Structures are given as structure tokens and as C-alpha cells.
Amino acid sequence: MINFWNNATKYKEARYAAGMNFDLEEIEPFLNHLSNSILDSGLTQEEINMILSEIAEMNEDNELKEFGTFDVIYKGKPSKIRVQAEIHIEDEDKELVLYMYSTKKLVDVIEKEMLKVEEQREY
């Protein structure tokens, strides 16, 4: 399930968002792919580790957590990506909805990468 909406409230540069359900083991490879293959300069491994660490501490069903706004470079231009997640817990299973807010152009690219993850699941 992929969600897209315009969130123009208080984040001028990060007013668009893409979100998708991820299994916990899919998050690190996705963030690494985005940071190392799509962005000129993306999230650092330290930032990715911080996000993963905070996700590991999420224990309450429907808990929503914001991890911060990160400076990235996309197609030679500085930009920002705000990352937050909502955890869904059923019995022992955890699933995460990862939300990434940024400019429309960058969110469109993130959306395409999320769709690729979704397509790979079907195989």
C-alpha cells in the first residue's frame, strides 16, 4: 500500500510525502539504495543506523515517530528529506509504514523506488 498526500502545514520544503508499508528487514536496504544510488548525497550510515535503532525501540501498535529532517543532494541541488514511521504490531509481527517528506520532484523519485520494492515482493 502506497500513500501520497500534500502536507503543506509547516514544512515548506518538505510538503509532499510518499509512504509505504515495509517489513522491518526491508528498511535498511531501501534507505541504503536511496542514499547510494538515487541521491548524489543521501543519508549517512550513521543516520540510517539511528533510524533503525529508534525503529527497534518502537513497541506500541500505531506508534508514530519522527526521526528528523536530513540534508541530501539530489541532481546537484541541496534538499531535505523528513523521515517518520508508524509501527503496526499484530501478535509478534511488526510492520512499519515509512513516510518520507520532501519536494515534489524528490518525492516522485522516492515513490518510484517504493513501487520497485513492491514489484519485487510479487516475485
Side-chain angles (χ1 to χ4, degrees):
M1 169 189 177
I2 298 180
N3 303 307
F4 307 97
W5 65 92
N6 181 340
N7 182 12
T9 54
K10 60 181 178 178
Y11 297 95
K12 184 179 177 192
E13 188 165 350
R15 51 185 265 201
Y16 296 92
M20 189 177 93
N21 293 349
F22 283 89
D23 291 333
L24 295 181
E25 64 273 3
E26 294 175 316
I27 295 165
E28 184 174 15
F30 178 76
L31 292 176
N32 278 319
H33 169 71
L34 202 62
S35 296
N36 299 321
S37 301
I38 305 305
L39 300 168
D40 299 337
S41 175
L43 300 174
T44 66
Q45 190 59 50
E46 184 178 313
E47 291 168 334
I48 292 171
N49 290 343
M50 180 273 300
I51 291 170
L52 295 172
S53 174
E54 290 196 31
I55 287 171
E57 294 175 7
M58 296 174 75
N59 300 327
E60 226 176 278
D61 190 34
N62 297 320
E63 180 179 353
L64 184 65
K65 184 177 267 191
E66 184 166 328
F67 305 112
T69 301
F70 303 93
D71 294 316
V72 299
I73 297 176
Y74 176 64
K75 293 199 172 187
K77 295 183 180 180
S79 192
K80 295 185 181 294
I81 294 177
R82 184 166 54 96
V83 181
Q84 72 180 167
E86 182 176 1
I87 194 106
H88 297 280
I89 303 169
E90 190 172 316
D91 299 322
E92 294 296 315
D93 296 330
K94 284 186 178 182
E95 184 178 74
L96 193 85
V97 182
L98 186 67
Y99 299 105
M100 302 184 87
Y101 299 80
S102 192
T103 61
K104 179 156 178 32
K105 283 184 182 181
L106 189 47
V107 164
D108 288 347
V109 171
I110 293 169
E111 171 194 4
K112 287 179 186 171
E113 296 307 310
M114 287 179 170
L115 286 171
K116 288 178 185 176
V117 171
E118 186 73 27
E119 288 171 4
Q120 289 173 353
R121 288 179 185 158
E122 294 175 8
Y123 293 111

